[in-house]
């Protein structure tokens, strides 16, 4: 059974390691990726940020998507973001574990 | 026996994972770190970059140093940069292996 997902499935490849680092180096985007990684499943967009407006968030989602880190899905009529974990791990092995593991420790949530 | 090293030994801690990502996300600095990691020992500054002038390189070295990634040493009268491998690995486990390993594959040198 496939989940009831309609929407844009990213076909773009994960970017170069330098492009991926640029995508992760912003504090807002790092927090988005941290939440996505910890969730382990698609997350409604609005749950991925605090303290910024929707258009700023959309800008950051676009940068993550263009780097190949995330893709956008529509689940039950609501836009979600999904981390492309498998593809990112294949492109830059160990990066997500390293970065999110450290970010989690810094936030004190692990 | 300690090596004949005179100079500034960084006492600063490694920065947050976000600060480290910013330091690595620039192509010039990523290449500097890649060469330092591959060398495994202090490297004369001039061997760590191509195509930029010395003052630009100094700026990039400063950002790496302030993030706690590198330190500056004087060996036999020549300024070298050293990667603070142990400290970086303790602060962000796995990051150097992941990033430099991928950068090496992209450059085709490994």
């Amino acid at each position: 059974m496939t989940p009831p997902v309609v929407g844009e499935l990213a076909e773009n490849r994960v970017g170069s390691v330098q492009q991926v680092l640029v995508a992760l180096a912003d504090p807002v985007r790092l927090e988005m990726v941290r939440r996505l990684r910890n969730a382990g499943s698609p997350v409604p967009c609005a749950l991925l940020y605090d303290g910024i407006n929707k258009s700023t968030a959309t800008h950051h989602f676009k940068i993550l998507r263009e780097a190949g880190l995330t893709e956008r899905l529509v689940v039950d009529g609501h836009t979600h973001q999904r981390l492309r974990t498998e593809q990112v791990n294949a492109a830059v092995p160990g990066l997500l574990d390293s970065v999110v593991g450290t970010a989690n420790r810094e936030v004190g949530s692990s």
Side-chain angles (χ1 to χ4, degrees), chain A residues 14 17 20 37 85-98:
Chain A
V14 177
V17 63
V20 169
R37 174 73 163 170
T85 307
E86 187 178 334
Q87 294 90 333
V88 177
N89 284 342
V92 193
L95 186 70
L96 287 175
D97 281 347
S98 173

Side-chain angles (χ1 to χ4, degrees), chain A residues 73-96:
Chain A
L73 306 172
V74 177
V75 183
D76 294 335
H78 297 283
T79 305
H80 289 56
Q81 302 288 331
R82 191 181 80 83
L83 191 62
R84 300 175 73 224
T85 307
E86 187 178 334
Q87 294 90 333
V88 177
N89 284 342
V92 193
L95 186 70
L96 287 175

Side-chain angles (χ1 to χ4, degrees), chain A residues 31 34-35 38 100-110:
Chain A
E31 177 64 12
R34 191 182 74 84
R35 293 184 189 188
N38 291 342
V100 175
T102 304
N104 278 339
R105 283 192 297 281
E106 290 177 359
V107 172
S109 67
S110 73

Side-chain angles (χ1 to χ4, degrees), chain A residues 8-60:
Chain A
E8 177 188 310
L9 280 171
E11 294 183 37
N12 59 311
R13 297 176 53 176
V14 177
S16 69
V17 63
Q18 195 253 324
Q19 189 185 0
V20 169
L21 290 168
V22 167
L24 292 172
D26 178 272
V28 170
R29 293 192 296 269
L30 178 59
E31 177 64 12
M32 289 169 165
V33 169
R34 191 182 74 84
R35 293 184 189 188
L36 284 168
R37 174 73 163 170
N38 291 342
S41 59
V43 176
C45 295
L47 299 183
L48 292 170
Y49 57 88
D50 308 299
I52 58 174
N53 62 39
K54 189 170 172 176
S55 73
T56 300
T58 299
H59 162 76
H60 288 300

